[in-house]
Amino acid sequence: MDFSELRTVVEEVELVDGHAHNIVPLDSTFPFIRAFTGASGDALTFSPHSLSFKRNLKDIAELYGCESTLQGVEEYRRVNGIQSICSTCFKSARISTILIDDGFELDKKHYIEWHKNFSPLVGRILRVERVAEQILDEGLPDGSSWTLDSFIEVFVSKLKLLNINVTAAGEIYGFKSIAAYYSGLEINTNVTKNDAEEGLTQVLASGKPVCVANKNLVDYIFLQSLEIAQFYDLPVQIHTGFGDKGLDMRLSNPLHLRAVLEDKRYSKCRFVLLHASYPFSREASYLASNKTVFLQVYLDFGLAIPKLSVHGMISSVKELLELAPLNKVMFSTDGYAFPETFYLGAKKSREVIFSVMRDACIDGDLSIPEAVEVVHDMFARNALHFYKLSSANNDVSLSNNLPQKLNINSLVTNEL
């Protein structure tokens, strides 16, 4: 079979990055070694011995034409500066659109607007738990104590205000929840106000900075956010699967979301399960499949690519496609802190998707023309539809006619 057309399309298609985070300057305290690993602390000493670390470091050194060592890459970065390395990485990655969750706290991170130097369209994904924590940290203007009613009133008002105004952080194209990190994905859809009030009291008693790590409160915030997302027709990204050491992965299996997905109050919500739900990729595929009634579930394979081995990346994407419709699976880099993470996410995704599509053609699942269309869908068109980034013809070449989201007025609010 001649796969030259498929390879050309995979290499040239412009990418819509549906999930990423802010880049930091060179003088940030966030260590560059973490571009290659999710580890921190003492665990970092083991990171250079992983397959993904060795492969990704070699890929970056090859891009820069420098010594293939961590020290060699760091020296290249120091000499060339953040603007130059961003230009190199994003030009090579061919990313036309980036949606940034700026709720990931990074030392000296650049604001969302800054990233428009390197991608034509940059939008914002609002991390709802972080919004809640910032509200509680700020306190009430009159200095009175929070109640659940007063908190929820401010929380809901803040989400609504941010969605109808142009903010310093950019236009909002979706919400994101990291409930998996706090208390897991088995959301109690019948959590009571009394239980949430008790949870709020416990959280506030722990002092500042506030961390909303109480299951009843997290569940209540999650459900309130779904109502607002539904009202504004915004999708909701959900962290699923693996993460850092603060995560109990047993509770991040997306099957725990069944109660939410079956609740008719949220039937209009559109969910995207992040990170290929690894190692629960087959479970995620099932939830997005035609075998279930969960038509609102979509999948994103960022972070699984490029943080797994080559075999792990390919097998994880193949598992997503075992049951999930092809128009429900989307690319993202989950790039963070360093432009190299965006480049690696793009580069390895192209390689993995080519491999998966080639095998699908050899196996007889797809014809080559069908595989070409799937590449366009996964890398751009699915995200354009899902995040409502384009209202007319979803041309694969995005740079000449980038979509703009309608703003109700031009009031600027403070950055969250």
Side-chain angles (χ1 to χ4, degrees), residues 114-364:
W114 180 89
H115 298 74
K116 293 182 180 179
N117 293 311
F118 310 104
S119 183
L121 177 61
V122 180
R124 187 184 188 194
I125 299 295
L126 199 67
R127 186 183 294 205
V128 295
E129 291 88 2
R130 186 66 189 127
V131 175
E133 289 168 346
Q134 289 175 325
I135 290 171
L136 295 173
D137 275 332
E138 292 169 3
L140 286 164
D142 61 3
S144 59
S145 299
W146 287 109
T147 64
L148 183 67
D149 285 339
S150 63
F151 162 65
I152 291 298
E153 180 181 0
V154 174
F155 177 72
V156 170
S157 296
K158 176 70 80 172
L159 292 189
K160 289 181 177 179
L161 182 64
L162 288 169
N163 276 292
I164 64 174
N165 295 322
V166 183
T167 72
E171 299 164 15
I172 295 171
Y173 289 89
F175 290 169
K176 178 183 175 183
S177 172
I178 57 167
Y181 272 96
Y182 290 103
S183 53
L185 295 177
E186 195 168 359
I187 306 296
N188 177 9
T189 56
N190 296 311
V191 60
T192 67
K193 287 185 65 175
N194 286 340
D195 288 341
E197 183 92 56
E198 291 180 7
L200 176 62
T201 300
Q202 292 177 15
V203 163
L204 294 174
S206 298
K208 296 182 179 181
V210 172
C211 176
V212 292
N214 175 280
K215 177 167 171 50
N216 289 327
L217 182 59
V218 169
D219 291 356
Y220 200 82
I221 290 170
F222 184 91
L223 299 177
Q224 291 289 323
S225 301
L226 295 191
E227 291 183 10
I228 300 168
Q230 210 165 223
F231 180 82
Y232 286 102
D233 194 22
L234 290 172
V236 178
Q237 299 180 345
I238 301 178
H239 178 102
T240 60
F242 68 145
D244 62 32
K245 66 179 182 180
L247 177 77
D248 184 344
M249 199 160 64
R250 296 170 299 179
L251 304 178
S252 66
N253 186 326
L255 294 181
H256 288 305
L257 291 167
R258 187 177 185 92
V260 170
L261 299 176
E262 289 182 336
D263 196 311
K264 293 182 179 179
R265 291 174 294 174
Y266 314 113
S267 61
K268 302 289 187 184
C269 273
R270 291 175 290 125
F271 301 98
V272 56
L273 309 181
L274 299 175
H275 313 317
S277 299
Y278 180 86
F280 309 112
S281 301
R282 282 181 168 146
E283 287 87 338
S285 180
Y286 171 75
L287 289 176
S289 74
N290 296 328
K291 291 183 175 292
T292 70
V293 295
F294 309 136
L295 302 179
Q296 71 273 43
V297 175
Y298 293 71
L299 309 175
D300 179 305
F301 52 77
L303 189 64
I305 303 175
K307 288 297 191 286
L308 303 178
S309 68
V310 171
H311 172 77
M313 292 187 292
I314 292 173
S315 63
S316 183
V317 172
K318 285 185 174 182
E319 287 177 0
L320 290 182
L321 300 183
E322 286 179 356
L323 287 173
L326 299 169
N327 61 351
K328 280 189 166 191
V329 181
M330 293 178 281
F331 157 84
S332 77
T333 62
D334 198 15
Y336 59 92
F338 314 104
E340 291 87 351
T341 61
F342 290 81
Y343 169 73
L344 289 170
K347 180 180 188 296
K348 304 318 291 185
S349 290
R350 293 183 193 274
E351 294 172 5
V352 168
I353 294 303
F354 174 77
S355 177
V356 171
M357 290 298 102
R358 179 195 60 203
D359 287 355
C361 292
I362 293 172
D363 292 341

Side-chain angles (χ1 to χ4, degrees), residues 82-127:
I82 191 68
Q83 295 283 342
S84 175
I85 60 176
C86 280
S87 295
T88 298
C89 288
F90 281 100
K91 182 179 179 180
S92 299
R94 292 178 57 79
I95 297 173
S96 65
T97 303
I98 308 172
L99 300 183
I100 292 180
D101 160 25
D102 60 346
F104 182 25
E105 292 305 310
L106 295 162
D107 177 55
K108 300 180 181 178
K109 67 184 180 184
H110 288 292
Y111 291 127
I112 287 180
E113 187 72 21
W114 180 89
H115 298 74
K116 293 182 180 179
N117 293 311
F118 310 104
S119 183
L121 177 61
V122 180
R124 187 184 188 194
I125 299 295
L126 199 67
R127 186 183 294 205

Side-chain angles (χ1 to χ4, degrees), residues 37-50:
T37 176
S40 60
D42 293 341
L44 281 172
T45 60
F46 294 94
S47 295
H49 303 282
S50 69

